[in-house]
Amino acid sequence: MQTISRRSIVRGAAMTAAAVTIAKPYLAFGQAAGPFTQPPLPYKEDALAPSISAQTVGLHYGKHHKAYFDNLNKFTAGTPYAAMKLEEVMKASAGKPEDARIFNNAGQAWNHILYWDQFKPGGAKTPSGKLAAAIDKDLGGFQAMKDKLTEASVGVFGSGWGWLVQDGDKLTIMSTPGGDNPVAKGKRALLGIDVWEHAYYLDYQNRRPDHVKAVLDTLVNWDYVRDRMA
Ligand SMILES: [Fe+2]
């Protein structure tokens, strides 16, 4: 796993990409039981620029995502959750107010694994194969799907996520607040748009729609999204 030095983060826009290990795209959702480990970033911090700056990626991955793992390990220590896999933690803690902090941190740990993994500089810019067919059948085509996903993401009140979801044999668009996600509701998340302000405020300030458009048009690896279909 790469390290992101505090100094490189503080340097902000002037920083050079920290030394990173370029991992193969990972599918860590089924990782072994805790302690829960943040997977490596699958590209350099500046790989998503200019759509998402190296400064935002450095803070988002190195501080926010890391903190969800740190808190999850802290809050689950000594509980039955510590022996579960990450997805099991989300499902077991969902709907339990007394375990809300575990659910929220597990959800955010999981959500950001998908988030980083679904992007690829130079990746497939349009859906293909069974994904393209399903988008045409269920969501009215690629542009209509992007419009619906943008509307759902931009419309989140406060912090949360917009999602392209496989629900049984049908694709749908949904949004969730905070650290919640489709997995906790028994659905399969194919693509997640993070609209917490930490995802875009340094680069776009209050222009959330511009950020969502940039993500969908320039960063998503649609082959990866296709391969996540059941
Ligand atoms: Fe985030």
Side-chain angles (χ1 to χ4, degrees):
M1 178 174 300
Q2 85 270 34
T3 58
I4 300 173
S5 75
R6 183 174 183 276
R7 189 174 63 173
S8 72
I9 291 169
V10 171
R11 277 180 178 171
M15 76 179 184
T16 56
V20 294
T21 300
I22 304 301
K24 292 167 61 179
Y26 50 85
L27 284 169
F29 306 109
Q31 70 180 52
F36 305 97
T37 305
Q38 183 187 24
L41 193 65
Y43 32 72
K44 293 183 178 179
E45 291 176 10
D46 62 359
L48 306 183
S51 296
I52 302 177
S53 69
Q55 184 183 23
T56 290
V57 172
L59 290 166
H60 197 174
Y61 174 83
K63 295 294 186 181
H64 294 276
H65 194 194
K66 179 180 184 298
Y68 298 129
F69 277 92
D70 291 346
N71 286 329
L72 180 62
N73 283 314
K74 182 169 67 176
F75 297 147
T76 56
T79 77
Y81 291 113
M84 297 180 189
K85 294 181 179 179
L86 187 53
E87 286 198 12
E88 295 169 344
V89 174
M90 293 191 302
K91 292 173 181 175
S93 60
K96 295 179 180 173
E98 68 275 20
D99 291 334
R101 64 182 186 173
I102 290 175
F103 175 78
N104 287 329
N105 282 285
Q108 283 292 74
W110 191 96
N111 292 349
H112 288 83
I113 295 175
L114 173 62
Y115 184 75
W116 302 121
D117 221 15
Q118 71 195 356
F119 297 147
K120 183 179 182 180
K125 290 293 178 284
T126 55
S128 63
K130 62 182 181 181
L131 175 64
I135 287 173
D136 287 344
K137 176 173 72 74
D138 297 330
L139 296 169
F142 184 41
Q143 187 58 52
M145 182 276 287
K146 288 200 292 185
D147 290 345
K148 291 170 184 168
L149 181 52
T150 298
E151 182 180 5
S153 302
V154 171
V156 171
F157 185 75
S159 300
W161 293 75
W163 302 97
L164 173 63
V165 167
Q166 190 174 23
D167 185 7
D169 61 355
K170 193 172 169 53
L171 296 190
T172 60
I173 301 293
M174 63 183 291
S175 63
T176 54
D180 198 0
N181 65 33
V183 180
K185 305 175 190 309
K187 307 177 197 298
R188 187 170 184 80
L190 303 183
L191 169 67
I193 306 297
D194 186 345
V195 289
W196 286 58
E197 288 185 348
H198 66 226
Y200 64 88
Y201 221 82
L202 286 174
D203 300 329
Y204 296 84
Q205 293 79 52
N206 62 322
R207 291 177 284 114
R208 183 188 283 188
D210 292 351
H211 169 72
V212 173
K213 177 175 173 50
V215 166
L216 289 175
D217 288 348
T218 70
L219 297 183
V220 173
N221 176 14
W222 293 98
D223 283 354
Y224 176 84
V225 179
R226 178 198 63 207
D227 293 342
R228 279 199 51 76
M229 293 177 72

